[in-house]
Amino acid sequence: MLSPRPRMSTQAAFSLCGGQKTVNGFFATYINKKGSQTMATIETCSPRRQRTRQLQVGAVAVGGGAPVTVQSMCNTDTRDVSATLAQIAALVAAGCEIVRVAVPDAEAAAALPALVRGCSVPLVADIHFDYRLALQALTAGVACLRINPGNIGARWKVAEVVAACRERAVPIRIGVNGGSLEKSLLEKHGHASAAALVESALGHIRILEDLDYPQLKVSLKASDVPRTLAAYRQLAGQVDYPLHIGITEAGTTWAGTIKSAVGLGALLCDGLGDTLRVSLTGDPVEEVRVGWQILKAAGLRQRGPVFVSCPTCGRCQIDLIPLAEEVERRLAGLRLPLTIAVMGCVVNGPGEAREADLGIAGGRDVGLLFRQGQVLRRLPQAQLADALVAEALALERELLAAQGH
Ligand code: SF4
């Protein structure tokens, strides 16, 4: 018998089998309760994506229906190759798919060949104004430039950069930022409004279009959500270039996470955004973790487990909060997107725990352990975390083995 609704274990199987996307859903492999597999179409609730052109950032496709990628930016001194490579490795381990480094001067540019060699994902060089740094970065082998053509200066300098990009098939990200908008636009619009951001972007785009180089993506970042949303929505109605989305200077990890989730979530649910960067005043590894959580919450990507836990209330009869935190910490490394539910009582607990791949529903100092809709055991509270973790690891092993991994 098929599960009544798509379970996360099903999606795990999908990701391993390589399903086929459809317009409103995807074909996936159901694993039924006897362990055999059935192909079926799952209707997803994922937002319909606005179609953009596709470009390649190294081996990573951006736009044109490719998965929305998570990127981040190193905050090490780019000249310090070992520190920067260590941070890149940490970012990649957390799921970063494209990494950017600042290239403020020739010394930083001189570090790029070593960084490109040591970086397992595409590396983006972030350059302001100096076309020579852009040329140096391209010679070093970066996969993308973040540079605004209107800020490079004389047209021949822009043409030289574009020629070098064309030769290596390297795209350019136009990065418009509310904090560094052209003076003329600030005077015209009175402040860095959404319309001013869009006008700036269109100016930079025009320069590349005049040079017949449409290998570009665009970001329009303001530090507040409403302005950022308005800017992206306006631009998306006018061009079909891939959009790199983000709320710039969003704040510290706590506040910035909320701001980014609201802003990026709204854009993604509008179908906008081809790649994202969460900007936090903190460890960039957190940016990657938050970026993935946003994509998972929007139903656009799957990576690792999905945790469901209740907020607790006066009905809760087990010490749920530390239990949920322990389970989340110990299962964070799961490869498959298993759904793990940790619930406090018999009101909503059994329902959620049954729907999840694995779940606990608390009772008075005890809990019921569920696996794929069935009660496995009734356990004292002290044994719940170990039992749930062990079952989750076992289920993942079985699913991977069933797929030949
Ligand atoms: Fe309260 Fe039970 Fe709901 Fe948790 S599952 S919030 S304990 S009613």
Side-chain angles (χ1 to χ4, degrees):
M1 197 180 83
L2 289 179
S3 304
R5 74 172 201 188
R7 307 171 68 88
M8 296 310 295
S9 55
T10 307
Q11 294 190 16
F14 163 73
S15 68
L16 289 164
C17 295
Q20 268 186 296
K21 283 188 176 176
T22 66
V23 175
N24 293 313
F26 51 77
F27 292 111
T29 305
Y30 274 89
I31 297 183
N32 66 23
K33 285 178 182 158
K34 289 182 183 159
S36 59
Q37 298 176 358
T38 308
M39 293 298 289
T41 304
I42 299 174
E43 183 147 346
T44 67
C45 303
S46 303
R48 186 181 286 269
R49 309 270 309 282
Q50 177 161 316
R51 198 75 176 179
T52 53
R53 304 180 191 209
Q54 190 166 89
L55 52 79
Q56 288 292 134
V57 177
V60 176
V62 174
V68 181
T69 42
V70 175
Q71 47 180 294
S72 183
M73 184 170 185
C74 289
N75 61 7
T76 49
D77 183 338
T78 306
R79 295 169 299 184
D80 185 339
V81 170
S82 57
T84 303
L85 284 179
Q87 189 169 67
I88 288 172
L91 291 170
V92 172
C96 188
E97 296 168 304
I98 298 172
V99 176
R100 181 160 47 116
V101 293
V103 186
D105 54 31
E107 226 184 310
L112 289 173
L115 295 178
V116 169
R117 274 197 304 278
C119 183
S120 60
V121 297
L123 192 71
V124 182
D126 187 297
I127 292 162
H128 288 270
F129 311 120
D130 192 336
Y131 83 107
R132 289 164 303 185
L133 295 179
L135 294 176
Q136 224 178 317
L138 289 164
T139 305
V142 298
C144 180
L145 284 184
R146 184 266 167 122
I147 192 165
N148 288 347
N151 299 347
I152 296 177
R155 192 52 66 102
W156 65 266
K157 293 179 183 174
V158 185
E160 264 198 49
V161 172
V162 167
C165 284
R166 198 191 309 274
E167 199 179 310
R168 297 167 175 82
V170 169
I172 292 174
R173 171 160 70 93
I174 292 169
V176 174
N177 191 308
S180 56
L181 211 59
E182 296 92 316
K183 208 166 155 223
S184 58
L185 290 174
L186 287 175
E187 282 166 5
K188 177 179 171 186
H189 292 270
H191 69 113
S193 62
L197 294 171
V198 171
E199 187 171 338
S200 174
L202 290 173
H204 295 300
I205 290 170
R206 206 168 305 119
I207 293 170
L208 293 183
E209 286 179 340
D210 288 348
L211 289 165
D212 191 24
Y213 200 67
Q215 296 300 309
L216 64 98
K217 54 194 170 115
V218 191
S219 63
L220 293 168
K221 298 185 186 175
S223 57
D224 65 86
V225 171
R227 208 161 27 124
T228 306
L229 295 185
Y232 276 107
R233 286 168 178 159
Q234 286 175 28
L235 186 70
Q238 301 180 57
V239 299
D240 63 355
Y241 296 111
L243 295 176
H244 164 125
I245 58 174
I247 309 293
T248 193
E249 298 124 19
T252 54
T253 301
W254 184 77
T257 294
I258 294 168
K259 208 190 260 190
S260 299
V262 171
L264 301 189
L267 288 170
L268 292 167
C269 291
D270 273 0
L272 301 179
D274 298 288
T275 181
L276 65 81
R277 189 242 171 144
V278 171
S279 302
L280 299 176
T281 308
D283 185 342
V285 168
E286 287 302 310
E287 299 184 351
V288 176
R289 296 181 62 222
V290 172
W292 272 102
Q293 284 300 329
I294 292 171
L295 289 176
K296 284 162 69 171
L300 288 167
R301 301 275 308 265
Q302 293 296 339
R303 179 185 164 86
V306 176
F307 293 102
V308 175
S309 58
C310 79
T312 76
C313 70
R315 293 187 196 89
C316 191
Q317 294 177 311
I318 56 171
D319 195 6
L320 190 89
I321 295 172
L323 175 64
E325 287 172 350
E326 180 182 350
V327 167
E328 185 175 85
R329 178 176 49 75
R330 290 175 65 183
L331 292 179
L334 282 177
R335 289 165 61 189
L336 299 185
L338 303 180
T339 300
I340 313 287
V342 180
M343 303 292 292
C345 79
V346 294
V347 176
N348 295 323
E352 285 290 354
R354 197 169 268 124
E355 285 291 326
D357 292 296
L358 288 147
I360 287 171
R364 185 176 293 279
D365 300 324
V366 296
L368 292 177
L369 177 63
F370 289 77
R371 176 176 154 150
Q372 294 181 306
Q374 306 295 321
V375 176
L376 283 187
R377 290 191 288 285
R378 177 189 174 93
L379 293 162
Q381 163 150 356
Q383 295 175 21
L384 287 172
D386 286 348
L388 181 60
V389 168
E391 283 299 333
L393 296 176
L395 177 59
E396 180 174 70
R397 271 196 305 275
E398 286 168 30
L399 289 168
L400 289 170
Q403 303 301 328
H405 291 262

